[in-house]
Amino acid sequence: MTELRIMPQDGSSVLACTRDPQDIGERLAAVGVRYERFAARRRFGADTEPPAVIDAYRDVVQPLVDEYGYRRVDAVRLVPRADDPLWLEQVRQAGETFRAEHWHAEEEIRLVVEGRCCFYLHIGDRVHVLVCEAGDLVSVPQGVRHWFDMGAVPELCVIRLFRDEHGWRGAFTGEPLPDRFPRLDELGVQNAH
Ligand SMILES: [Fe+2]
């Protein structure tokens, strides 16, 4: 289930909440964020590697590459291994990095093709909390402060499109905002799949 909550930057209340994709798209477009749905019906085995996922979604990815002139496409795929302490510690450390507020020098596109995750987009004095599921396309515009939560036991695959051929590069703000907001696991939004 995709859900958008709009909250003040102090995290004290919910100003608006919607699960209607068109409404989500319009509210995000109003702050310069692209959001749309795409068909995410492909199913992959536990051992499927990211390049195979990207190949399977070439029909979705290539038009975006052509439209935006992206130079790099990668995919982050996490298949849950809840009984593997080493894996849990590795994803916890990676999750803490992404859960710190940061911004990028370029607009990036994310295609959620499996699982769920949450983007927190800090725009003006508000935070747009977007819980994503498979089939969600969302842009993170250049310079927009944000953070990302994939939950304590992540299950997700996200295709990422970059103009920077080096891939993910973030500038951290050091702001304590993320601590004022519910984590993905606390938002109570269930996966529809
Ligand atoms: Fe980011």
Side-chain angles (χ1 to χ4, degrees), residues 51-93:
V53 175
I54 295 169
D55 273 350
Y57 281 95
R58 189 60 64 186
D59 60 320
V60 179
V61 169
Q62 195 60 46
L64 293 164
V65 168
D66 294 341
E67 178 183 349
Y68 284 85
Y70 287 110
R71 289 212 268 299
R72 180 187 168 107
V73 179
D74 71 13
V76 174
R77 184 163 196 249
L78 294 170
V79 177
R81 286 153 51 183
D83 56 352
D84 183 339
L86 182 60
W87 182 84
L88 287 170
E89 177 58 19
Q90 287 172 340
V91 295
R92 188 193 66 78
Q93 290 181 13

Coordinates of all heavy atoms in Angstrom, one line a residue, residues 51-93:
P51 N 21.6 -7.0 -12.0 CA 21.5 -6.8 -13.4 C 20.4 -7.5 -14.1 O 19.8 -7.0 -15.1 CB 22.9 -7.4 -13.9 CG 23.8 -7.3 -12.7 CD 22.9 -7.5 -11.5
A52 N 20.0 -8.7 -13.6 CA 18.9 -9.4 -14.2 C 17.5 -8.7 -13.9 O 16.6 -8.7 -14.8 CB 18.8 -10.8 -13.7
V53 N 17.5 -8.0 -12.8 CA 16.3 -7.2 -12.5 C 16.2 -6.0 -13.4 O 15.1 -5.7 -13.9 CB 16.3 -6.8 -11.0 CG1 15.1 -5.8 -10.7 CG2 16.3 -8.0 -10.0
I54 N 17.3 -5.4 -13.6 CA 17.3 -4.2 -14.5 C 16.9 -4.6 -15.9 O 16.1 -4.0 -16.6 CB 18.7 -3.5 -14.5 CG1 19.0 -2.9 -13.1 CG2 18.7 -2.4 -15.5 CD1 20.4 -2.5 -12.9
D55 N 17.4 -5.7 -16.3 CA 17.1 -6.2 -17.7 C 15.6 -6.5 -17.8 O 15.0 -6.2 -18.8 CB 17.9 -7.5 -18.0 CG 19.2 -7.3 -18.6 OD1 19.5 -6.1 -18.9 OD2 20.0 -8.2 -18.7
A56 N 15.0 -7.1 -16.7 CA 13.6 -7.4 -16.8 C 12.7 -6.2 -16.8 O 11.6 -6.2 -17.3 CB 13.2 -8.2 -15.5
Y57 N 13.2 -5.0 -16.4 CA 12.5 -3.8 -16.4 C 13.0 -2.8 -17.4 O 12.8 -1.6 -17.4 CB 12.5 -3.1 -15.0 CG 11.5 -3.8 -14.1 CD1 11.8 -4.8 -13.2 CD2 10.1 -3.4 -14.1 CE1 10.9 -5.4 -12.4 CE2 9.2 -4.0 -13.4 CZ 9.6 -5.0 -12.5 OH 8.7 -5.7 -11.7
R58 N 13.7 -3.3 -18.4 CA 14.3 -2.5 -19.5 C 13.3 -1.6 -20.1 O 13.5 -0.4 -20.5 CB 15.0 -3.3 -20.5 CG 15.9 -2.6 -21.5 CD 17.0 -1.8 -20.9 NE 18.0 -2.5 -20.2 CZ 19.0 -1.9 -19.5 NH1 19.1 -0.6 -19.4 NH2 19.9 -2.7 -18.8
D59 N 12.0 -2.1 -20.3 CA 11.0 -1.4 -21.0 C 10.5 -0.2 -20.2 O 10.0 0.8 -20.7 CB 9.8 -2.3 -21.3 CG 9.2 -2.9 -20.0 OD1 10.0 -3.3 -19.1 OD2 8.0 -2.9 -19.9
V60 N 10.7 -0.2 -18.9 CA 10.4 0.9 -18.0 C 11.6 1.9 -17.9 O 11.4 3.1 -17.9 CB 9.9 0.4 -16.6 CG1 9.6 1.6 -15.7 CG2 8.7 -0.5 -16.7
V61 N 12.8 1.3 -17.8 CA 14.0 2.0 -17.5 C 14.4 2.8 -18.7 O 14.8 4.0 -18.6 CB 15.1 1.1 -17.0 CG1 16.4 1.8 -16.9 CG2 14.8 0.5 -15.6
Q62 N 14.4 2.2 -19.9 CA 15.1 2.8 -21.0 C 14.4 4.2 -21.4 O 15.1 5.1 -21.7 CB 15.1 1.9 -22.2 CG 16.0 2.3 -23.4 CD 17.4 2.5 -22.9 OE1 18.0 1.6 -22.2 NE2 18.1 3.6 -23.2
P63 N 13.0 4.3 -21.4 CA 12.4 5.6 -21.7 C 12.9 6.6 -20.7 O 13.0 7.8 -21.1 CB 10.9 5.3 -21.6 CG 10.8 3.8 -21.9 CD 12.0 3.2 -21.3
L64 N 13.1 6.3 -19.5 CA 13.5 7.3 -18.5 C 15.0 7.7 -18.7 O 15.3 8.9 -18.6 CB 13.4 6.7 -17.1 CG 12.0 6.4 -16.6 CD1 12.0 5.5 -15.4 CD2 11.3 7.7 -16.2
V65 N 15.8 6.7 -19.1 CA 17.2 7.0 -19.5 C 17.2 8.0 -20.7 O 17.9 9.0 -20.7 CB 18.0 5.7 -19.8 CG1 19.3 6.0 -20.4 CG2 18.2 4.9 -18.5
D66 N 16.4 7.7 -21.6 CA 16.3 8.5 -22.8 C 15.8 9.9 -22.5 O 16.3 10.9 -23.0 CB 15.4 7.9 -23.9 CG 16.1 6.6 -24.4 OD1 17.3 6.4 -24.2 OD2 15.3 5.8 -25.0
E67 N 14.8 10.0 -21.6 CA 14.1 11.2 -21.3 C 15.0 12.1 -20.5 O 15.1 13.3 -20.8 CB 12.8 11.0 -20.5 CG 12.1 12.2 -20.1 CD 10.9 11.9 -19.2 OE1 10.5 10.7 -19.1 OE2 10.3 12.9 -18.6
Y68 N 15.7 11.6 -19.5 CA 16.5 12.4 -18.6 C 18.0 12.4 -18.9 O 18.8 13.2 -18.3 CB 16.4 11.9 -17.2 CG 15.1 12.2 -16.5 CD1 13.9 11.4 -16.7 CD2 14.9 13.3 -15.7 CE1 12.7 11.7 -16.1 CE2 13.8 13.6 -15.0 CZ 12.7 12.8 -15.2 OH 11.5 13.1 -14.6
G69 N 18.5 11.5 -19.8 CA 19.9 11.4 -20.1 C 20.7 10.8 -18.9 O 21.8 11.2 -18.7
Y70 N 20.1 9.9 -18.2 CA 20.8 9.2 -17.1 C 22.0 8.4 -17.7 O 21.9 7.8 -18.8 CB 19.9 8.4 -16.3 CG 19.0 9.1 -15.4 CD1 17.6 9.2 -15.7 CD2 19.5 9.9 -14.4 CE1 16.8 9.9 -14.9 CE2 18.6 10.6 -13.6 CZ 17.3 10.6 -13.8 OH 16.4 11.4 -13.1
R71 N 23.1 8.4 -16.9 CA 24.3 7.6 -17.4 C 24.5 6.4 -16.6 O 25.4 5.6 -17.0 CB 25.5 8.5 -17.3 CG 25.5 9.7 -18.3 CD 26.9 10.1 -18.7 NE 27.5 11.1 -17.9 CZ 27.1 12.4 -17.8 NH1 26.0 12.7 -18.3 NH2 27.8 13.3 -17.2
R72 N 23.8 6.2 -15.5 CA 24.1 5.0 -14.7 C 22.8 4.5 -14.1 O 22.0 5.2 -13.6 CB 25.1 5.4 -13.5 CG 25.4 4.2 -12.6 CD 26.2 4.6 -11.4 NE 26.2 3.5 -10.4 CZ 27.3 2.8 -10.2 NH1 28.4 3.1 -10.8 NH2 27.3 1.9 -9.3
V73 N 22.6 3.2 -14.2 CA 21.5 2.5 -13.7 C 22.0 1.4 -12.8 O 22.8 0.6 -13.2 CB 20.6 1.9 -14.8 CG1 19.4 1.2 -14.1 CG2 20.1 3.0 -15.7
D74 N 21.5 1.4 -11.5 CA 21.9 0.2 -10.7 C 20.6 -0.2 -9.9 O 19.6 0.3 -10.1 CB 23.1 0.5 -9.8 CG 22.8 1.5 -8.6 OD1 21.6 1.7 -8.4 OD2 23.7 1.9 -8.0
A75 N 20.8 -1.3 -9.2 CA 19.7 -1.8 -8.4 C 20.2 -2.3 -7.0 O 21.2 -2.9 -6.9 CB 18.9 -2.9 -9.1
V76 N 19.4 -1.9 -6.0 CA 19.7 -2.4 -4.7 C 18.6 -3.5 -4.4 O 17.4 -3.2 -4.5 CB 19.6 -1.3 -3.6 CG1 19.8 -1.9 -2.2 CG2 20.7 -0.2 -3.9
R77 N 19.1 -4.7 -4.1 CA 18.1 -5.8 -3.9 C 18.4 -6.4 -2.5 O 19.5 -6.9 -2.3 CB 18.1 -6.8 -5.0 CG 17.1 -7.9 -4.8 CD 16.8 -8.7 -6.1 NE 15.6 -9.4 -6.0 CZ 15.4 -10.7 -5.9 NH1 16.5 -11.5 -6.0 NH2 14.3 -11.3 -5.8
L78 N 17.5 -6.4 -1.6 CA 17.7 -7.0 -0.3 C 16.6 -8.1 -0.1 O 15.4 -7.7 -0.1 CB 17.6 -6.0 0.8 CG 18.7 -4.9 0.8 CD1 18.5 -3.8 1.7 CD2 20.1 -5.6 1.1
V79 N 17.0 -9.3 0.0 CA 16.1 -10.4 0.3 C 16.3 -10.7 1.7 O 17.4 -11.0 2.2 CB 16.4 -11.7 -0.6 CG1 15.5 -12.8 -0.3 CG2 16.3 -11.3 -2.1
P80 N 15.2 -10.7 2.5 CA 15.3 -10.8 4.0 C 16.0 -12.1 4.4 O 15.6 -13.1 4.0 CB 13.9 -10.6 4.5 CG 13.0 -10.9 3.3 CD 13.8 -10.6 2.1
R81 N 16.9 -11.9 5.4 CA 17.6 -13.0 6.0 C 17.5 -12.8 7.5 O 18.5 -12.5 8.2 CB 19.0 -13.2 5.5 CG 19.1 -13.7 4.1 CD 20.3 -13.3 3.3 NE 21.6 -13.5 4.0 CZ 22.7 -13.1 3.4 NH1 22.7 -12.5 2.3 NH2 23.8 -13.3 4.1
A82 N 16.3 -12.9 8.1 CA 16.1 -12.5 9.4 C 16.8 -13.3 10.4 O 17.0 -12.9 11.6 CB 14.6 -12.5 9.7
D83 N 17.3 -14.5 10.0 CA 18.0 -15.4 10.9 C 19.5 -15.3 10.8 O 20.3 -16.1 11.3 CB 17.6 -16.9 10.8 CG 17.7 -17.3 9.3 OD1 18.1 -16.5 8.5 OD2 17.6 -18.5 9.1
D84 N 20.0 -14.3 10.1 CA 21.4 -14.1 9.8 C 21.9 -12.8 10.5 O 21.7 -11.7 10.0 CB 21.6 -14.0 8.3 CG 23.1 -13.9 7.9 OD1 23.9 -13.5 8.8 OD2 23.4 -14.2 6.8
P85 N 22.5 -13.0 11.7 CA 22.9 -11.8 12.5 C 23.8 -10.9 11.7 O 23.8 -9.6 11.8 CB 23.6 -12.3 13.7 CG 23.1 -13.8 13.8 CD 22.8 -14.2 12.4
L86 N 24.8 -11.4 10.9 CA 25.7 -10.6 10.2 C 25.0 -9.8 9.2 O 25.3 -8.6 9.0 CB 26.8 -11.5 9.5 CG 27.9 -10.8 8.8 CD1 28.7 -9.9 9.7 CD2 28.8 -11.8 8.1
W87 N 24.1 -10.4 8.4 CA 23.3 -9.7 7.4 C 22.5 -8.6 8.1 O 22.5 -7.4 7.6 CB 22.4 -10.6 6.7 CG 21.6 -10.0 5.6 CD1 22.0 -9.7 4.3 CD2 20.3 -9.5 5.7 NE1 21.0 -9.1 3.6 CE2 19.9 -9.0 4.4 CE3 19.3 -9.5 6.7 CZ2 18.7 -8.4 4.1 CZ3 18.1 -8.9 6.4 CH2 17.7 -8.4 5.2
L88 N 21.9 -8.9 9.2 CA 21.0 -7.9 9.9 C 21.9 -6.7 10.3 O 21.5 -5.5 10.3 CB 20.3 -8.5 11.1 CG 19.2 -9.4 10.8 CD1 18.7 -10.2 12.0 CD2 18.0 -8.7 10.2
E89 N 23.1 -7.0 10.8 CA 24.0 -5.9 11.2 C 24.4 -5.0 10.0 O 24.5 -3.8 10.1 CB 25.2 -6.4 12.0 CG 26.2 -5.4 12.4 CD 25.6 -4.3 13.3 OE1 24.6 -4.5 13.9 OE2 26.3 -3.2 13.4
Q90 N 24.7 -5.7 8.9 CA 25.2 -5.0 7.7 C 24.0 -4.1 7.2 O 24.3 -2.9 6.9 CB 25.6 -6.0 6.6 CG 26.9 -6.6 6.9 CD 27.2 -7.7 5.9 OE1 26.3 -8.3 5.2 NE2 28.5 -8.1 5.8
V91 N 22.8 -4.6 7.2 CA 21.7 -3.7 6.7 C 21.3 -2.7 7.7 O 20.9 -1.6 7.3 CB 20.5 -4.6 6.3 CG1 20.8 -5.5 5.1 CG2 19.9 -5.3 7.4
R92 N 21.6 -2.9 9.0 CA 21.3 -1.9 10.0 C 22.3 -0.7 9.8 O 21.8 0.4 9.8 CB 21.5 -2.5 11.4 CG 21.0 -1.5 12.5 CD 21.5 -1.9 13.9 NE 23.0 -1.9 14.0 CZ 23.6 -0.7 14.2 NH1 23.0 0.4 14.3 NH2 24.9 -0.8 14.3
Q93 N 23.5 -1.0 9.5 CA 24.5 0.0 9.3 C 24.2 0.8 8.1 O 24.3 2.0 8.1 CB 25.9 -0.6 9.3 CG 26.4 -1.1 10.6 CD 27.8 -1.6 10.6 OE1 28.5 -1.4 9.6 NE2 28.2 -2.3 11.6

